[in-house]
């Protein structure tokens, strides 16, 4: 009896791993089609993961990007994102992406809510850095420069050469009246990349 149960358990685990591997392959193909702006192919390969009764959140996220960026269907795309969160409320990538969208659409308060969640849900240091950088940018749009400064400093503690954090820290400090830190950030960006157009442009702006 125990042997039978053990064999059944091994079989079920193997089936689960196979299904997970198949999903990973499908998502990789869909992302390639998304990058090539081939939304019909995106929908075709994602069809098994987008059944009406049990859609997968990762598949909904990719379809949402197609609808919003390439098909001119923002409402349908946002509905996909909401459905993904209804299924998996703590989905980091969906929160991060939707927060970024809200920022692009000048809906900064909604962006702040999603990006706060993304910072909390970040699965690793790379995800946390991305979420903090995006929240810092949104905080500057809200004129919350001290909050933006704090997020940038958190990023730089993890990655002292992060150019997005250096740039955002310089901008935030300029609005806070700390021009010394602003120029220190710009100098650091130029040292990292002497051909950094953003750093030279900002340097000219602050000097002018």
């Amino acid at each position: 009896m125990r042997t039978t149960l053990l064999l059944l358990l091994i079989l079920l685990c193997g089936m689960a791993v196979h299904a997970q591997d198949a999903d990973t392959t499908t998502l990789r193909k869909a992302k390639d089609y998304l990058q090539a702006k081939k939304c019909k192919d995106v929908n075709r390969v994602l069809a098994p993961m987008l059944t009406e009764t049990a859609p997968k959140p990762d598949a909904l996220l990719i379809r949402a990007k197609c609808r919003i960026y390439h098909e001119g269907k923002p409402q349908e795309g946002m509905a996909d994102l909401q459905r993904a969160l209804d299924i998996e409320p703590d989905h980091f990538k969906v929160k991060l992406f939707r927060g970024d969208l809200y920022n692009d659409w000048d809906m900064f308060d909604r962006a702040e809510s999603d990006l706060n969640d993304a910072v909390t849900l970040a699965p690793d240091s790379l995800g946390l850095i991305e979420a903090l950088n995006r929240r810092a940018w949104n905080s500057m749009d809200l004129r919350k420069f001290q909050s933006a400064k704090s997020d940038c400093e958190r990023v730089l503690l993890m990655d002292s050469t992060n150019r997005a954090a250096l740039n955002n820290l310089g901008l935030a400090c300029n609005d806070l009246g700390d021009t010394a830190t602003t120029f220190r950030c710009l100098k650091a960006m130029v040292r990292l990349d002497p051909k950094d157009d953003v750093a030279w442009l900002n340097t000219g702006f602050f000097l002018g």
Side-chain angles (χ1 to χ4, degrees):
M1 182 65 178
R2 289 182 180 177
T3 301
T4 302
L5 290 174
L6 180 59
L7 290 173
L8 180 60
L9 180 60
I10 293 172
L11 177 62
L12 291 173
C13 288
M15 291 172 63
V17 169
H18 177 74
Q20 187 175 21
D21 288 344
D23 284 353
T24 299
T25 300
T26 297
L27 291 171
R28 188 182 302 115
K29 289 180 181 178
K31 288 176 182 176
D32 289 340
Y33 284 131
L34 173 64
Q35 189 171 7
K37 302 180 182 180
K38 296 180 178 180
C39 290
K40 288 184 178 179
D41 290 317
V42 169
N43 292 327
R44 174 178 55 80
V45 299
L46 287 180
M49 298 181 67
L50 288 171
T51 61
E52 186 61 32
T53 55
K56 301 291 181 67
D58 287 335
L60 287 165
L61 174 59
I62 294 174
R63 187 173 71 178
K65 290 180 179 181
C66 248
R67 287 177 162 177
I68 292 167
Y69 289 143
H70 306 312
E71 294 184 327
K73 299 177 180 178
Q75 290 183 331
E76 289 90 337
M78 293 301 285
D80 276 345
L81 297 177
Q82 185 56 55
R83 189 165 188 196
L85 291 172
D86 289 340
I87 297 167
E88 189 177 335
D90 292 339
H91 197 295
F92 166 72
K93 290 182 179 179
V94 175
K95 286 283 188 177
L96 185 68
F97 176 69
R98 193 173 70 171
D100 220 24
L101 274 181
Y102 281 141
N103 177 268
D104 288 342
W105 295 342
D106 295 343
M107 302 169 71
F108 304 125
D109 290 327
R110 291 189 179 185
E112 183 177 45
S113 177
D114 275 347
L115 294 174
N116 284 342
D117 289 341
V119 168
T120 302
L121 296 168
D124 51 37
S125 59
L126 291 178
L128 180 57
I129 285 172
E130 186 174 8
L132 286 169
N133 275 332
R134 295 190 189 190
R135 186 171 72 174
W137 185 261
N138 189 71
S139 292
M140 287 191 289
D141 284 323
L142 288 168
R143 302 193 65 78
K144 295 182 178 180
F145 302 115
Q146 188 60 52
S147 295
K149 178 176 181 286
S150 297
D151 279 348
C152 293
E153 289 172 340
R154 284 182 65 184
V155 171
L156 292 171
L157 285 174
M158 293 182 281
D159 177 7
S160 62
T161 62
N162 189 280
R163 291 169 59 195
L166 286 167
N167 181 69
N168 293 342
L169 179 60
L171 294 173
C173 286
N174 182 66
D175 282 293
L176 290 169
D178 182 4
T179 55
T181 299
T182 295
F183 282 109
R184 191 159 57 246
C185 290
L186 291 172
K187 288 178 182 178
M189 291 175 67
V190 171
R191 279 198 303 272
L192 289 170
D193 182 4
K195 297 181 180 180
D196 189 330
D197 292 338
V198 172
W200 285 112
L201 181 65
N202 286 342
T203 300
F205 172 78
F206 291 125
L207 288 175

